[in-house]
Amino acid sequence: MDILSWDGTLSSGDFRLAACAFMQKWKSVMSAFPPWSWVPCPKQPWGASASHDVEGYLSLENIILRSIEEEHDEISCPQKEETSCSEKEELIDIATLVQSNCSKVPYYDLHIIYSASYRVPVLFFRAYYSDGEPLGFNAIEKDLPAHSAKALLDSKWTFITQEEHPYLNRPWFKLHPCGTSEWMKLLFHVDVSVAKNGVTIELYLLSWLSVVGQVVGLRIPLEMLNQP
């Protein structure tokens, strides 16, 4: 698509294509981590018409975001000496093991759902402890890493609301999509290769999550952004 005429949105069919491309790239680059999966569901969200061809959503569940972020940092330390890197890896493994055995470590479920109204993806999420006790918004804010809290505070595009999950009919938190199309167009507009070759649908979700994921503590590693 031509970047000058593109409005920053996706069709429902393009969302499905972007989802497949994103799952494949995540599995290829992030093979050590739980995979994103497509959850098929015939119910149409947000009053979409019967012709709506998105019958499901992307899901990543039961994850400890903090331990994933620590392991990302470990993967990204090639400049350090091998012995130092190994020692750090051992410490991270111990810390992750301790966290996983602690009943008060928050687990997160992340769902990426297509909004027929805004014609963009929307991130729904919830957090809970291993005993099933859910986290309220204040507790989630305290659990977020400092850079996530700052991203949420500084961003004029993003804010969190609590609404009914369109497929599960239970209250979940979501990042409101009202400004998504605007900042996605800006994001692609400043990319020289996109300006030259046009918008690549397969890169849409990856670029989108590289921004949105930071708000909930999920950072996309450079390996995924740089790999062709």
Side-chain angles (χ1 to χ4, degrees):
M1 288 186 291
D2 180 13
I3 185 63
L4 295 178
S5 60
W6 181 56
D7 63 358
T9 65
L10 282 180
S11 69
S12 57
D14 286 340
F15 173 75
R16 187 69 175 92
L17 291 175
C20 291
F22 175 73
M23 286 189 292
Q24 292 174 1
K25 177 160 281 193
W26 179 277
K27 184 177 181 180
S28 173
V29 178
M30 306 288 287
S31 57
F33 302 98
W36 285 86
S37 60
W38 181 261
V39 179
C41 186
K43 180 184 176 183
Q44 306 302 332
W46 289 305
S49 65
S51 62
H52 194 287
D53 57 359
V54 175
E55 297 182 348
Y57 55 89
L58 282 169
S59 172
L60 181 64
E61 298 191 345
N62 199 34
I63 59 169
I64 304 174
L65 289 174
R66 193 173 304 164
S67 65
I68 288 180
E69 182 176 341
E70 287 171 349
E71 293 190 46
H72 281 173
D73 292 341
E74 171 59 26
I75 292 173
S76 303
C77 63
Q79 295 87 352
K80 295 186 178 181
E81 296 181 2
E82 185 174 349
T83 54
S84 175
C85 227
S86 299
E87 290 172 1
K88 183 179 180 183
E89 182 177 5
E90 183 178 354
L91 291 174
I92 290 175
D93 287 343
I94 294 173
T96 303
L97 179 62
V98 171
Q99 286 182 339
S100 298
N101 290 331
C102 176
S103 62
K104 287 302 180 182
V105 173
Y107 292 81
Y108 286 81
D109 293 343
L110 308 177
H111 290 174
I112 300 175
I113 301 174
Y114 180 76
S115 167
S117 301
Y118 288 92
R119 301 182 71 240
V120 295
V122 182
L123 181 65
F124 279 76
F125 66 97
R126 66 171 184 150
Y128 50 91
Y129 296 119
S130 60
D131 60 2
E133 178 188 352
L135 272 71
F137 180 66
N138 290 338
I140 290 175
E141 271 195 315
K142 292 178 181 178
D143 182 62
L144 292 177
H147 69 84
S148 297
K150 186 176 187 302
L152 185 60
L153 182 64
D154 292 345
S155 176
K156 65 178 181 179
W157 303 108
T158 305
F159 59 93
I160 295 176
T161 62
Q162 188 175 36
E163 296 185 17
E164 184 178 276
H165 190 291
Y167 290 102
L168 304 180
N169 299 318
R170 293 195 295 269
W172 279 50
F173 294 104
K174 82 170 187 179
L175 297 181
H176 200 280
C178 62
T180 300
S181 60
E182 285 86 353
W183 62 256
M184 280 300 295
K185 184 168 184 175
L186 288 172
L187 187 66
F188 276 76
H189 186 73
V190 298
D191 189 314
V192 176
S193 64
V194 171
K196 180 179 180 181
N197 302 316
V199 178
T200 304
I201 296 302
E202 289 78 4
L203 294 178
Y204 188 101
L205 278 182
L206 182 59
S207 301
W208 170 81
L209 194 60
S210 70
V211 176
V212 171
Q214 295 184 52
V215 178
V216 294
L218 179 65
R219 291 194 293 182
I220 300 298
L222 290 178
E223 295 93 326
M224 285 193 69
L225 295 171
N226 294 334
Q227 189 185 73

